[in-house]
Amino acid sequence: MKTVIIGGIAGGLSAASQIKREDPGAQVIILEKSGDVSYAACGMPYNLFYKDKPVEELYALDLDTIRKERGIDYRQNHEVIRIDPVQKEVAVVDLINAREYRESYDYLVYATGNKPIRLSLPGFEDNDVFYFKTLDDTRLVKKIIYEKAPTNALLVGSGYTNLELADVLYNMKIPPVILEKSATILPSFAEEIRAKVLEKIEEKGITLHTNVDIMEKNGTVVSTRAGDFDANMVVVSIGVKPNTELFSAAGGELGVAGAVKVDRFLRTNLPDIFAAGDCAEHYVRQLGRNGYMPLGPAANKQGRLVGSNIVNSKAMKMFYGIDQTAVFKFFDLTVATTGLSERQLGEIGANYVKIHVDTPTRGAFPGGGIMRVLLLLEKGTGLILGGQMIGQDVVAKRLDVIATAIYKQMTVFELAELDLSYSPLYSPVWDPLLIAANKAAKEA
Amino acid sequence: MKTVIIGGIAGGLSAASQIKREDPGAQVIILEKSGDVSYAACGMPYNLFYKDKPVEELYALDLDTIRKERGIDYRQNHEVIRIDPVQKEVAVVDLINAREYRESYDYLVYATGNKPIRLSLPGFEDNDVFYFKTLDDTRLVKKIIYEKAPTNALLVGSGYTNLELADVLYNMKIPPVILEKSATILPSFAEEIRAKVLEKIEEKGITLHTNVDIMEKNGTVVSTRAGDFDANMVVVSIGVKPNTELFSAAGGELGVAGAVKVDRFLRTNLPDIFAAGDCAEHYVRQLGRNGYMPLGPAANKQGRLVGSNIVNSKAMKMFYGIDQTAVFKFFDLTVATTGLSERQLGEIGANYVKIHVDTPTRGAFPGGGIMRVLLLLEKGTGLILGGQMIGQDVVAKRLDVIATAIYKQMTVFELAELDLSYSPLYSPVWDPLLIAANKAAKEA
């Protein structure tokens, strides 16, 4: 059995590894366009801090391990330029040797990831405009920072990436200015959470402009309807779109947000072609349908499942889906969400109650902080629909309890009964989650 | 309606507060023998560090808040010496004014907590022998530490309290020697977890003797069958027993471990007398019967439920019980457990599988650590029966996911499907829990 995998970052490498784990004799070829191997993209902003820490430290595995220990034929700088689903072949260009060849497959895994949406406005093709998406982008930004010592930065877009970047740049004494086209930031978060992020932006003296329409860039000046901004470097992060050109060109069907349409087994409409990761749709369990939320854990899980389904093609398993859990750091705050957002609840017409509490994170004890827990629950039943948290100390891994609760369709009455760990070093005697659950139970 | 509560620390104050919350007009009297109000006993070891931090900072609430805001008649230094369940009265001694009086009740809450098991051996009534259980004990130990500057300490017993104390004393340059009567420490933990604690004890050069039978104490010398130990101070922590004398004397029935026997509504056998907290039994959900595991969260939850059941005596709710979650700190390690222990699994004859994994706590990123996750699961079904963790970084709040899983009777297959929060700052892309679940799923 021979599997060809297009893209070797998260989903692709996971699929390859799983195939070799379950069937060591299988032939697995990864064709990766870039010169990199699988890496932790989410760690890129933080690598900027360390001048002497090579970006290659973000590699999940080194090439030797991938090739020798895992037995995967990993080919960097090999770009697939065409899929032929009838012949079951791909056309590949070896970018180093400028050589084209064809590779046949029994199974093909499409794991090409996504790419940043580009700003197609005058001046935005300048080489002081960056998209912070790949290791190569990180190399470029890092070079600028350490060689040109920019005194300020203009961040276009206010998603997780640019907020993390604002935090990093601020701490590197490169004051960021954030421009956002929409009326507000973080649309997936409730206003009670967003308010805390905005407070922090204000506290740090970071300039944020919303409702900003950019017109053009001229040298170092970016012109908008809200005025001109002068900046040494510009980072654009206004969203991503799935890499689907190759797949579409071969007759592949696209779905939500233009991602590769997949069934629950992660099969596409093309025979023996699976898809995984940021190029594909993700099944959202609470909605009972596919969505598009490209994040590392899902890419890895999908990849692993694809690998398993290829080996066990007569007994495939369904992708169990995501609960839309996400987290990012913003200065001393951790900001996290799981489950449905208010926007989604509005879209499905849910009758929901929203509560929040502000609590200390530990007992009367040094070293803790404060946090806000927000719960979204179904009116009447108390079913937990979503949870969001912001604060200091341990936030991300507390959110995981809510993610677990959502997975098991728990109510706030049940949440209030949990026997959570307590010592004043780690928690108040009533954990913030229990305080929130008790409040929610009264209002359900 | 008039409720009298014997004991005003965790369970007692929680019951009182809940009554006033649900029925502000109710009369609630707390009779507390000590001169203190409700405090966080688990914080006591760490208060020792701070010479100038009064132990009163461990108070959960100040007396003014309790009396004025909550409207509770809180009487410190008032000792109940007799319960008359027929007359529905208690006999009380006002210790300050040496005055005895009687107080009638409609409902009585027995919340007297527990006390340390004392070592009844020659010399162990000396005043350089301490039981580290109450704020008064903490005051004494603190006085000794700062006034007499002991150069070493002998800790008798190796439970959570003495291990926490060993950590604190070591860091205060008072090298501890631990004597344990049993063949091993931490019997509720699997050997894979225990081994890590023992490694740390060795790494720190702390002396631990197991299988030690103490014979007597003579001045500063403690004689044992394993030899003599010379120590400036001795702390005995060899277990606790519930305070039940008053209750027994009134005809009250005792249950597991000599604790006050309670039904699921937390009623005792005596009419209109409830019990809560460390003096009472605790329903263990996984075993479907009462056990005895005196910890702060259960005391608070039981107290609150008793308060609610007194106000809503026609629509009482059952205590949902505990899942035996516990956590303690030991140097840079957090050690935590939830669910059934191997010993308990042996007792009920369960057919179980045990797995463990060692993983980093974060992505390739500074600031994390390593941890060990151990899962106990039912052979065949994969039902999660217990979980234990030891390591650095965020351990306690990761264990809470397993506690939640146990509460909802999840299998390891489900655990592996959780959408847990990921950013390299907080977790590897496969959280330690998912790595453990994946391994367990293979062996279930």
Side-chain angles (χ1 to χ4, degrees), chain A residues 119 124 129-130 153-159 162 177-181 212 214 222 234-239:
Chain A
L119 211 51
F124 277 86
V129 174
F130 304 101
L154 200 61
L155 306 183
V156 180
S158 62
N162 267 357
V177 170
I178 305 173
L179 304 183
E180 168 58 48
K181 192 185 173 84
V212 173
I214 294 174
V222 171
V234 177
V235 180
V236 179
S237 186
I238 54 173

Side-chain angles (χ1 to χ4, degrees), chain A residues 297-305 319-320, chain B residues 416-419 430 434:
Chain A
N300 280 276
K301 286 172 174 168
Q302 285 191 323
R304 187 180 280 213
L305 186 67
F319 179 54
Y320 38 84
Chain B
E417 297 187 349
L418 291 179
D419 190 1
W430 292 97
L434 298 179

Side-chain angles (χ1 to χ4, degrees), chain B residues 11-12 15 109-113 262 266 274-280 282 299 302-304 306:
Chain B
V109 180
Y110 193 79
T112 53
V262 289
L266 303 177
F274 291 76
D278 294 356
C279 64
H282 306 98
Q302 284 191 323
R304 187 180 280 214
V306 162

Side-chain angles (χ1 to χ4, degrees), chain A residues 280-327:
Chain A
E281 295 176 324
H282 306 98
Y283 183 72
V284 181
R285 294 182 340 100
Q286 285 178 293
L287 297 174
R289 58 170 172 75
N290 281 349
Y292 183 65
M293 190 179 183
L295 288 174
N300 280 276
K301 286 172 174 168
Q302 285 191 323
R304 187 180 280 213
L305 186 67
V306 163
S308 179
N309 281 350
I310 286 173
V311 176
N312 306 288
S313 58
K314 305 289 179 217
M316 292 196 295
K317 286 184 185 157
M318 289 202 289
F319 179 54
Y320 38 84
I322 60 170
D323 289 314
Q324 305 186 98
T325 307
V327 61

